[in-house]
Structure formats: structure tokens, C-alpha cells
């Protein structure tokens, strides 16, 4: 054989070998993927919402249901991770512990604290009472077992369904810039960060939407999870209808696109919008204004002069419902844009590599470590503080102002408020020194009655799926705090594992410990800094912990589990009462239609019907609906076209007589331009509680009415 022929043969053999190895490589990077969704809608009436800590924000009905959306990924070695994005304010570890208990009863130790992450979208429009720390549940009047149970079961079911749906598949990562969705609500704090650091970024909030796309081996789309930094506070603190807010609405839009002809919350495709480093990020992009005068608020204190009202941010819509729609639509359109990219234009790349995870509980007040100080070129000792909230915490934010005369940016204390603080529980001199320059309003770490007020032990977790790292943080990181953490994890992964990674921050995960700001932002003591409960070194500690965890994970090293958060299920207190009984006026019955719809409506009209009802807390109709809008198909068949999970509908409950237990349910349906003309009716399902005991179902049905094209 000639040299030329031999070299050609060797080249062909090498090419074949390379192709074969590439095939093996593709096989080695194959995953089993599954997605799932479940209803977690809590009691829609008589329970306070979690988020704004507004004692007056008591549920009166339902606008959109709330859901838990999960994905499960397993590599060829059987290493598995599960991630849930839940339409709730945040996550409590008592709730995660219960979810793990149910998962392990079914699957053994396949799922555990290390490989399951549960993140809240941060909606401020869902019932609270599930966090099991007094400060977070006090405005809800304590623990609410009904909320806790429906959430625990729904979170469990979302992972169970994702597990049941596991198939061979692939994962793709992509990202895109999304403008006109968020602003920084503490810009003066952000400016405290070094100028050379700020110069690396065009904006003072993160504008990038990161997406993980899950497909089966035939490239059929299974689901898409999207992370974006924005508060789910388009619905303000006057809202009293359960809502998943802007992130939840974006998810409904995305799922509607890929689950045609399905009701909200139904269908195989699962689309989620997940929280990220949203600590100082607002969706109210028209910015803060004085509510009466319309003038600009003071940039440092977010305060208005006397007589000009409260400092309140809003927009971009005419009201909070339209603002929620606009923000949700912009997020959904960005995600759809990534999913619909043509292959030759696509920025998506396939995720490759193994699955790993690492987790550690950290006792923050007793954390002692060191960090390199670039100014002194020495190692500085760092330690955490006992949890405490500062004065500016009580001032609230421009998304939801606080009470009394508190202002953001407060760095001095007040004898009167110190007296009130000390009457509850006084901080030690060590606490005061540790938290400087924060003036302590609530020494929550020293309070133990009737149980722990805020967590001291937090969950720190990393999930690695190929070359994508999800950092699950137990609080709300601000923009720059998140940027630094992402950079730190990326550098640590490169140093220890030799790979370039995409790092996603998943906020409000596993346990809630309020906020984390940078050390520079801490000095400004705006709301986010006053709510950084472990003191000025909080962010530095997280940087230290996550760097260490990243390196250990990349080297396949184990770490100590750390001290587990205390079990407090058996000491929970509640001032919320249950439903005593339901009654109805003489001459009517439950389900009686008190107000019938008109005979005819047009596009953009609103249909209204009122039913004599029982208390909606008698039955949450989980995975079902309190009512449905039905369209006549033929003489014998009606089809459900809208439910209580639809954006176009609202349900408002009224207690009309407390002594006799009378109540009414108003149902509203806004007829959208997409509505088909035809004959419609509204059906309401409920349960009433009999005065002598027992709950009984009832149903009501309006007369039919016509929707025309005009």
C-alpha cells in the first residue's frame, strides 16, 4: 500500500473513530428528564396574604390559581436532581421537610434535602401561614394548617408527576435580554458599590432571562424553566384576590401556547418563571411618585413631604391588573422568542455533562471565617450576627410602603422605638455592635416566645446539570450581590473543575431569611439592608460558603451536612379560626342565583353573576374549580371554556351576615376578543358547613346568555 493510500486509510479510520466517540459522548451526555405541575392554591378568603406584611390584606376571593412546577433530571449514572418553582412568596424549611417526608415514603432516599430545591416566585398575593417563623407568620395571625397542607401535597405531586413523566431527552440552555420589565427600587444603595464594578454592567438591574428547555429524544418540547430578576409585586398591597402575579401570568401564557385547547394548569407542557436575584428589583417601571401630589419621592429615604401622600411605585399599566398583564406578557414573549428561534439563528446550546449536587446547613450567627481584603492585602475575619431587623424594615418599600413614620436609609435609633423594642426583647451590646450601622428595631434572634422568630440556620445548595449551575439561595439577593455570587461560583467551578459554566441564581429557596445586600449597600440601610438579618458580613459569608461548596462539588468531595433547622411543627400557634357554619336566607338555598347575567353581551363586556354560597374554605377544589364558564356546543353538550384559574375571570366572596353565616359569591368574566360567539352559562360548585356538623356539596347554574361578535 502506498504512503498516500495508507494515510488516506488512517484518516478515514480516524474520522470513523472520532464519529464513534462523538456518538458515545452524546450517549454519555444523555439525560432522563421529566416535568410536572400541581395546584397549590390555598384558602382564598379570610386568610392574610404573605409578602407585604399588611394586616388588612385579607383574602376575599380568587383571580388566578397558584401552581407548583417541577423538573427532574437524571444522568446515566443515576444522579438525580429536582427543582420546583412554586407560586408562593417564598419557601419555609418546615414545608420542604414535609415534602421530603412524602417523597421518601414513596421513593425511598432517591429524593433528599441535598438534591431537591424548592423556590418561591415571590408573589405577594397568596395566603400565608406556612413559613413557621413568627415574624413571617405574625401578620397572617399565625400558622394556617390548610395552607400548609395544600402546599405540601401540591409540591410533592409536582415532583411525583415529573418523576412519572421521566423520558430520555435533552436539555438546552439559552438566554436573552428583556428590557422594560424591571427597575432598581434602591438606586442610591446600588451606587454605593465601587464605580469600577458598576462600569462592568450597562444596567443597575439584571436584564437577562435565562432558560432551560427540556425536550424528549424526538425533540418534542416538554417544558421550559425561565429565571428572571423581578419582584412579583405588580399587584399591590390593596389586592385581596389570590394571584400568581406577573411571573405566574407569564407562565400561564407560555403554557397556553403549547397546551392549546387546555384549561390553565392542564396539559403536558410545563412552563415556569422562577425568581432570581430580585432583592432590589421592582416591576413597577413608572417609578415611585408621591401618591397625592405626583411629585418625585426623595431618592435616599423614599419619603414624601407632608400632605403629598405615600411614596408608591406603579406601572406600566393604568391599574395593577393591567400592569401585571403587561409585565407578564413581556416575560412570556421573551421566553417564546427563545423557544421559537430558527435553528440557524438560535442562541440555544445543548447542555452536556453529568449531574451533581451539594448542600450544607450553615449556622449563620456562629459562622466564623476569613476573606481577602484587596485594600489591605490581608485576610479579614468575618462572623455573622444574631438575626435582627433594622428601622428601615418598618418603612417598607416603594412597592409596598410601611407604617408609622419610618423612613428608608435610617442609621440612627429613636428612644421611643428602642423602648418598644426592649419591651419585646432587647438586643445585647454585642448585637448592636455587630449590626452597625443598622439601628436594631427587632432583635429577632434573641426572641424565642412562642417559638423562633427568624431562622438562624439556613440552607445553601447547588445543583449542577452539565455545565449549568443553579445556586439555590435562602433569601433575596440584590442585583450586585447576585452578580458577585455568580462570578464567584463561575470562577470556583473553573478553578476546581476546569469547565466554563452558566450560573443561575434561584432565589427564595428552601428556607426564607429575608435579604442579602453587598457590604457597601449595607451602609446605606435602605429596606433591603435593614432586612439583611445576619449583619454586614452576610453577603461575604455566602460568598465564602458557596465558593467552598462549588469547589467541593466539582472535585466530588463531600461536606459536613451542618446543623439541621429545628423541628417546630408541634409548637405552632394560630389565631385564625375555622369555618363555624354556613347559612342561607329564607326562600333561597346554597347555589341559588341571586343576580343573573344579562341576556346578551359583546366583546370586552364583563359578565357578572351572584350566587348564595358556602364559605370557600370548606373545600379548596384543588385541581378542580369553584366555577366554570360553559359554551353550548349542541343541544346536549356544553364545553368548559374558562375556569377560576383563567386570567379572564374573578371570584369575589362577601360575608353578608356573620351571625347567621350568610355569604355570597360574585363571579366576573371579562369577555376577551378571542372569545367565540355563542350561548354561554356559568356553573358554581361549592360546599356548605351544616350547623350541626358535616360538609355537603351544592351547585348553582345561571340561565344561558349570548355573546355576540359586536
Amino acid at each position: 500500500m502506498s504512503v498516500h493510500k495508507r494515510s488516506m486509510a488512517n484518516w478515514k479510520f480516524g474520522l470513523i473513530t472520532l464519529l464513534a466517540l462523538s456518538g458515545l459522548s452524546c450517549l454519555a451526555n444523555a439525560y432522563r428528564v421529566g416535568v410536572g405541575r400541581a395546584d397549590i392554591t390555598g384558602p382564598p378568603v379570610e386568610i392574610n396574604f404573605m409578602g407585604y406584611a399588611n394586616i388588612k390584606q385579607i383574602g376575599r376571593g380568587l383571580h388566578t390559581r397558584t401552581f407548583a412546577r417541577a423538573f427532574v433530571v437524571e444522568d446515566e449514572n443515576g444522579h438525580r436532581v429536582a427543582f420546583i418553582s412554586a407560586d408562593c412568596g417564598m419557601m419555609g424549611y418546615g414545608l420542604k421537610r414535609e415534602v421530603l417526608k412524602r417523597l421518601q415514603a414513596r421513593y425511598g432516599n432517591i429524593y433528599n434535602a441535598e438534591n431537591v430545591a424548592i423556590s418561591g416566585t415571590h408573589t405577594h398575593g397568596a395566603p400565608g401561614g406556612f413559613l413557621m417563623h413568627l415574624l413571617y407568620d405574625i401578620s397572617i395571625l399565625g400558622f394556617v394548617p390548610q395552607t400548609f397542607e395544600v402546599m405540601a401535597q401540591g409540591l410533592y405531586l409536582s415532583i411525583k408527576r415529573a418523576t412519572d413523566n421521566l423520558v430520555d431527552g435533552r436539555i438546552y440552555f439559552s438566554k436573552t435580554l428583556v428590557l422594560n420589565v424591571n427597575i432598581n427600587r434602591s438606586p442610591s444603595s446600588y451606587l454605593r458599590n465601587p464605580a469600577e464594578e458598576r462600569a462592568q454592567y450597562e444596567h443597575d438591574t439584571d436584564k437577562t432571562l435565562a432558560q432551560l428547555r427540556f425536550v424528549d429524544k424526538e425533540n418534542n418540547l416538554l417544558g421550559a424553566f425561565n429565571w428572571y430578576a423581578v419582584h412579583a409585586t405588580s399587584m399591590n398591597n390593596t389586592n385581596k384576590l389570590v394571584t400568581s402575579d406577573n411571573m405566574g401570568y407569564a407562565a400561564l401564557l407560555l403554557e397556553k401556547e403549547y397546551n392549546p385547547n387546555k384549561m390553565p394548569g392542564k396539559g403536558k407542557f410545563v412552563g415556569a418563571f422562577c425568581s432570581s436575584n430580585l432583592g432590589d428589583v421592582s416591576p413597577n417601571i413608572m417609578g415611585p411618585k408621591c401618591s397625592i401630589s405626583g411629585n418625585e419621592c426623595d431618592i435616599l429615604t423614599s419619603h414624601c413631604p407632608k400632605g403629598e401622600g405615600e411614596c408608591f411605585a406603579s406601572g406600566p399599566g393604568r391599574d395593577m391588573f393591567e400592569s401585571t398583564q403587561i409585565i407578564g406578557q413581556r416575560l412570556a414573549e421573551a421566553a417564546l422568542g427563545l423557544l421559537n428561534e430558527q435553528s440557524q439563528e438560535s442562541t440555544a446550546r445543548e447542555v452536556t455533562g453529568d449531574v451533581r449536587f451539594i448542600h450544607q446547613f450553615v449556622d449563620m450567627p456562629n459562622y466564623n471565617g476569613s476573606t481577602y481584603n484587596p485594600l489591605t492585602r490581608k485576610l479579614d475575619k468575618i462572623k455573622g450576627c444574631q438575626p435582627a431587623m433594622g428601622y428601615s424594615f418598618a418603612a417598607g418599600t416603594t412597592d409596598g410602603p410601611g407604617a408609622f413614620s419610618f423612613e428608608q436609609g435610617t442609621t440612627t435609633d429613636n428612644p421611643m422605638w428602642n423602648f418598644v423594642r426592649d419591651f419585646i426583647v432587647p438586643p445585647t451590646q454585642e448585637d448592636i455592635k455587630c449590626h452597625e450601622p443598622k439601628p436594631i428595631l427587632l432583635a429577632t434572634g434573641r426572641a424565642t416566645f412562642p417559638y423562633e422568630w427568624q431562622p438562624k440556620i439556613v440552607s445553601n445548595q447547588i445543583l449542577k446539570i452539565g455545565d449549568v449551575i443553579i445556586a439555590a439561595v435562602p433569601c433575596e439577593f440584590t442585583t450586585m450581590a447576585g452578580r458577585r455570587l455568580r462570578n464567584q461560583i463561575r470562577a470556583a467551578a473553573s478553578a476546581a473543575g476546569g469547565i466554563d459554566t452558566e450560573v443561575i441564581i434561584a432565589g427564595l429557596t428552601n428556607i426564607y431569611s429575608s435579604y442579602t445586600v453587598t457590604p457597601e449597600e449595607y451602609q446605606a440601610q435602605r429596606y433591603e439592608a435593614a432586612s439583611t438579618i445576619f449583619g454586614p458580613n452576610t453577603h461575604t459569608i455566602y460568598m465564602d460558603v458557596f465558593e467552598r461548596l462549588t469547589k467541593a462539588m466539582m472535585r466530588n468531595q463531600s461536606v459536613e451536612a451542618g446543623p439541621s433547622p429545628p423541628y417546630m411543627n408541634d409548637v405552632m400557634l394560630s389565631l385564625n379560626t375555622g369555618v363555624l357554619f354556613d347559612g342561607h336566607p329564607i326562600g333561597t338555598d346554597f347555589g341559588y342565583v341571586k343576580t343573573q347575567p344579562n341576556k346578551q353581551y359583546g366583546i370586552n363586556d364583563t359578565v357578572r353573576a351572584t350566587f348564595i354560597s358556602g364559605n370557600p374554605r370548606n373545600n379548596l377544589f384543588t385541581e378542580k374549580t369553584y366555577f366554570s364558564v360553559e359554551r353550548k356546543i349542541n343541544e346536549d353538550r356544553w364545553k368548559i371554556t374558562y375556569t377560576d384559574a383563567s386570567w379572564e375571570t374573578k371570584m369575589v366572596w362577601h360575608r353578608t351576615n356573620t351571625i347567621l353565616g350568610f355569604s355570597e359569591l360574585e363571579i366576573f368574566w371579562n369577555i376577551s376578543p378571542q372569545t367565540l360567539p355563542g350561548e354561554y352559562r356559568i356553573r358554581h360548585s361549592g360546599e356548605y358547613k351544616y350547623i350541626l356538623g358535616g360538609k355537603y356539596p351544592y351547585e348553582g347554574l345561571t340561565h344561558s346568555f349570548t355573546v355576540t361578535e359586536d
Side-chain angles (χ1 to χ4, degrees):
M1 183 182 293
S2 68
V3 174
H4 174 72
K5 287 182 178 180
R6 188 162 54 246
S7 63
M8 285 294 292
N10 290 339
W11 179 84
K12 289 179 180 179
F13 176 79
L15 180 60
I16 292 169
T17 303
L18 180 63
L19 290 171
L21 288 173
S22 297
L24 287 172
S25 175
C26 289
L27 184 62
N29 289 320
Y31 300 106
R32 294 180 70 217
V33 298
V35 295
R37 181 198 315 102
D39 187 359
I40 58 169
T41 308
V45 302
E46 299 185 319
I47 301 297
N48 294 70
F49 290 169
M50 177 59 207
Y52 289 115
N54 184 344
I55 197 73
K56 297 179 181 179
Q57 196 183 15
I58 303 171
R60 286 188 54 202
L62 179 64
H63 185 203
T64 58
R65 282 191 173 261
T66 55
F67 296 97
R69 296 173 171 90
F71 70 76
V72 172
V73 177
E74 184 180 81
D75 66 14
E76 79 279 5
N77 297 315
H79 298 152
R80 181 182 296 192
V81 294
F83 180 89
I84 303 176
S85 176
D87 290 329
C88 60
M90 57 286 290
M91 190 44 49
Y93 193 74
L95 188 52
K96 179 179 177 178
R97 183 187 274 132
E98 180 62 28
V99 173
L100 291 174
K101 177 182 174 183
R102 299 183 188 198
L103 286 169
Q104 289 171 352
R106 183 177 183 87
Y107 299 106
N109 202 40
I110 290 176
Y111 295 111
N112 51 64
E114 295 184 2
N115 67 350
V116 174
I118 310 177
S119 171
T121 61
H122 209 34
T123 176
H124 287 40
F130 59 90
L131 289 175
M132 296 180 144
H133 281 97
L134 186 70
L135 186 70
Y136 302 134
D137 284 348
I138 195 168
S139 63
I140 290 90
L141 304 183
F143 181 66
V144 182
Q146 194 175 30
T147 304
F148 185 89
E149 172 57 31
V150 72
M151 290 185 67
Q153 184 63 12
L155 293 166
Y156 157 74
L157 279 176
S158 68
I159 291 185
K160 178 186 177 296
R161 289 168 179 169
T163 304
D164 292 343
N165 293 333
L166 278 170
V167 295
D168 292 337
R170 294 185 176 87
I171 306 170
Y172 293 88
F173 175 85
S174 56
K175 55 187 177 181
T176 188
L177 202 64
V178 189
L179 304 176
N180 299 319
V181 167
N182 62 18
I183 61 169
N184 195 307
R185 69 185 188 189
S186 288
S188 59
S189 288
Y190 180 84
L191 290 174
R192 293 280 189 127
N193 295 304
E196 60 271 20
E197 182 180 35
R198 289 184 280 112
Q200 300 173 36
Y201 304 97
E202 183 178 357
H203 304 283
D204 62 1
T205 61
D206 283 340
K207 306 286 186 182
T208 300
L209 181 143
Q211 181 184 91
L212 284 180
R213 178 196 314 180
F214 303 93
V215 300
D216 64 18
K217 59 184 179 181
E218 282 81 35
N219 212 38
N220 296 310
L221 187 59
L222 303 175
F225 280 62
N226 306 272
W227 286 264
Y228 191 82
V230 67
H231 258 75
T233 51
S234 290
M235 300 293 291
N236 63 43
N237 62 13
T238 66
N239 168 56
K240 296 183 179 180
L241 302 181
V242 172
T243 174
S244 55
D245 213 287
N246 47 42
M247 301 289 267
Y249 181 59
L252 292 178
L253 290 176
L254 191 62
E255 290 180 335
K256 184 178 181 180
E257 184 74 17
Y258 292 100
N259 294 321
N261 304 316
K262 296 289 185 180
M263 290 298 103
K266 308 296 181 182
K268 292 183 178 180
F269 173 83
V270 176
F273 287 79
C274 320
S275 64
S276 191
N277 53 320
L278 50 68
D280 54 355
V281 188
S282 170
N284 297 304
I285 59 177
M286 288 170 61
K289 300 282 193 303
C290 297
S291 57
I292 296 175
S293 67
N295 294 329
E296 299 281 342
C297 311
D298 181 78
I299 191 170
L300 296 178
T301 64
S302 295
H303 187 69
C304 292
K306 187 176 181 180
E308 294 194 23
E310 289 185 313
C311 181
F312 212 103
S314 63
R318 292 166 294 183
D319 57 35
M320 59 183 171
F321 292 100
E322 187 178 55
S323 293
T324 301
Q325 270 191 299
I326 293 170
I327 296 298
Q329 285 171 345
R330 289 173 181 172
L331 289 170
E333 287 168 2
L336 281 167
L338 292 176
L339 293 173
N340 293 331
E341 281 180 331
Q342 299 300 314
S343 58
Q344 63 268 25
E345 302 172 355
S346 178
T347 59
R349 60 169 185 77
E350 186 169 0
V351 176
T352 59
D354 62 359
V355 169
R356 302 183 193 182
F357 49 85
I358 195 166
H359 177 278
Q360 187 175 59
F361 292 115
V362 172
D363 184 346
M364 293 292 281
N366 292 312
Y367 189 89
N368 288 286
S370 59
T371 184
Y372 177 71
N373 188 327
L375 298 178
T376 62
R377 297 184 180 182
K378 295 180 180 179
L379 287 176
D380 290 345
K381 291 183 178 180
I382 54 171
K383 68 182 296 293
C385 307
Q386 289 289 332
M389 304 295 279
Y391 272 53
S392 296
F393 152 73
T397 72
T398 54
D399 290 335
F404 305 105
S405 57
F406 290 100
E407 295 181 0
Q408 294 201 58
T410 300
T411 55
T412 57
D413 56 9
N414 174 290
M416 183 191 75
W417 288 115
N418 283 356
F419 175 80
V420 174
R421 173 200 69 194
D422 293 348
F423 178 78
I424 300 170
V425 60
T428 66
Q429 286 301 311
E430 182 184 357
D431 294 337
I432 294 170
K433 181 70 175 175
C434 189
H435 279 275
E436 286 180 349
K438 177 202 291 180
I440 296 176
L441 180 65
L442 291 172
T444 53
R446 299 296 177 184
T448 57
F449 179 80
Y451 42 85
E452 198 172 68
W453 281 39
Q454 282 183 304
K456 299 177 182 178
I457 297 168
V458 300
S459 164
N460 300 277
Q461 184 182 32
I462 301 174
L463 308 180
K464 174 185 173 294
I465 305 170
D467 49 4
V468 174
I469 287 177
I470 299 174
V473 298
C475 52
E476 303 175 52
F477 270 56
T478 57
T479 299
M480 194 62 85
R483 287 169 174 172
R484 289 183 190 176
L485 184 65
R486 276 199 299 263
N487 292 339
Q488 183 92 323
I489 292 172
R490 190 179 297 114
S494 177
I499 63 168
D500 292 329
T501 56
E502 291 285 352
V503 179
I504 296 169
I505 290 179
L508 305 120
T509 306
N510 297 331
I511 191 169
Y512 185 59
S513 57
S514 293
Y515 284 74
T516 293
V517 299
T518 66
E520 295 88 346
E521 292 166 350
Y522 190 86
Q523 302 304 308
Q525 278 302 301
R526 282 180 59 83
Y527 175 85
E528 296 82 11
S531 304
T532 297
I533 67 175
F534 302 116
N537 292 323
T538 302
H539 182 257
T540 309
I541 292 173
Y542 282 126
M543 294 280 279
D544 191 36
V545 170
F546 275 91
E547 179 183 26
R548 179 168 44 79
L549 290 179
T550 302
K551 289 180 176 178
M553 180 185 68
M554 297 306 295
R555 293 166 179 161
N556 280 320
Q557 297 172 342
S558 60
V559 295
E560 292 183 2
S564 183
Y567 181 86
M568 300 190 294
N569 296 44
D570 53 353
V571 295
M572 291 293 105
L573 298 178
S574 178
L575 298 178
N576 291 287
T577 59
V579 179
L580 298 178
F581 67 93
D582 292 299
H584 59 78
I586 296 173
T588 68
D589 202 350
F590 294 106
Y592 172 77
V593 184
K594 182 179 179 180
T595 305
Q596 290 280 2
N598 298 335
K599 289 293 184 181
Q600 183 173 305
Y601 294 90
I603 299 300
N604 294 323
D605 287 344
T606 299
V607 181
R608 173 177 170 265
T610 307
F611 295 83
I612 302 297
S613 74
N615 192 310
R617 286 199 287 157
N618 292 328
N619 188 330
L620 301 183
F621 284 84
T622 306
E623 306 270 327
K624 300 175 184 175
T625 181
Y626 284 106
F627 65 88
S628 57
V629 178
E630 303 173 354
R631 181 173 180 269
K632 191 173 185 179
I633 305 303
N634 53 47
E635 289 302 318
D636 302 316
R637 183 169 169 244
W638 292 75
K639 180 182 179 182
I640 296 176
T641 54
Y642 298 94
T643 68
D644 63 13
S646 302
W647 174 265
E648 294 83 357
T649 63
K650 295 184 182 76
M651 177 186 95
V652 182
W653 182 76
H654 304 276
R655 172 66 77 190
T656 56
N657 190 311
T658 302
I659 296 174
L660 298 177
F662 295 175
S663 62
E664 297 175 0
L665 196 72
E666 273 188 298
I667 294 170
F668 298 89
W669 171 38
N670 182 54
I671 303 173
S672 67
Q674 292 75 36
T675 304
L676 294 174
E679 188 176 348
Y680 289 83
R681 67 186 185 187
I682 297 175
R683 183 187 303 273
H684 163 51
S685 301
E687 280 191 2
Y688 69 91
K689 188 172 184 179
Y690 187 45
I691 193 169
L692 297 180
K695 296 177 184 177
Y696 301 92
Y698 69 86
E699 195 171 83
L701 191 65
T702 68
H703 64 54
S704 62
F705 53 92
T706 302
V707 173
T708 65
E709 292 181 311
D710 298 333

